[in-house]
Amino acid sequence: MIAQIISYGIMTLILAAHFSRANNDMLAIVILLFPFLLLLKKAWVIDILQGLGALATLVWIYTGYQYVKIRLANGDDWIRLVLIIGSVALYTAWSTYFLRSKRVKEIYQITD
């Protein structure tokens, strides 16, 4: 369970840093509060956190697309950008999926 919390926490830190860099500090603060929902031990918490993770993955894909367009317009290299943002998007999706582990389902009493 600790590994799932840590990986999800890191994901939210990276997402909050992304929004903070874009001068959207209020959204960054709200995102940083989401992992604290894990303290509630309710099944709906995992659904909310997985929804946020899915949206975060889409944010990274969209951000990557926008940055690649800028790089192409400027004639700059874009391969490294795709690798980095693609890795962040995959990590975000992985940490979200990681919340579906057997241990999390037991603690939050989730039935499939």
Side-chain angles (χ1 to χ4, degrees):
M1 176 72 180
I2 297 298
Q4 290 89 341
I5 292 171
I6 290 172
S7 68
Y8 196 85
I10 291 170
M11 183 271 293
T12 57
L13 282 173
I14 295 169
L15 186 63
H18 171 69
F19 285 119
S20 179
R21 186 175 183 276
N23 292 324
N24 200 341
D25 294 331
M26 186 58 73
L27 185 56
I29 290 169
V30 169
I31 286 171
L32 288 174
L33 295 175
F34 270 91
F36 290 103
L37 287 174
L38 288 166
L39 297 172
L40 297 178
K41 304 279 193 249
K42 303 283 185 186
W44 59 266
V45 167
I46 301 302
D47 293 335
I48 297 287
L49 295 181
Q50 286 180 330
L52 174 68
L55 289 174
T57 302
L58 293 175
V59 164
W60 288 117
I61 292 169
Y62 178 74
T63 299
Y65 171 73
Q66 293 297 319
Y67 285 162
V68 165
K69 281 186 2 183
I70 293 168
R71 292 277 179 109
L72 287 173
N74 292 333
D76 294 335
D77 180 35
W78 55 272
I79 301 291
R80 184 175 49 171
L81 172 75
V82 168
L83 291 174
I84 292 169
I85 293 194
S87 297
V88 173
L90 284 173
Y91 177 79
T92 301
W94 173 78
S95 66
T96 301
Y97 180 75
F98 206 29
L99 287 177
R100 298 191 54 80
S101 73
K102 184 178 180 181
R103 181 73 178 133
V104 171
K105 287 180 181 179
E106 288 172 1
I107 291 172
Y108 288 87
Q109 301 170 350
I110 298 171
T111 58
D112 285 332

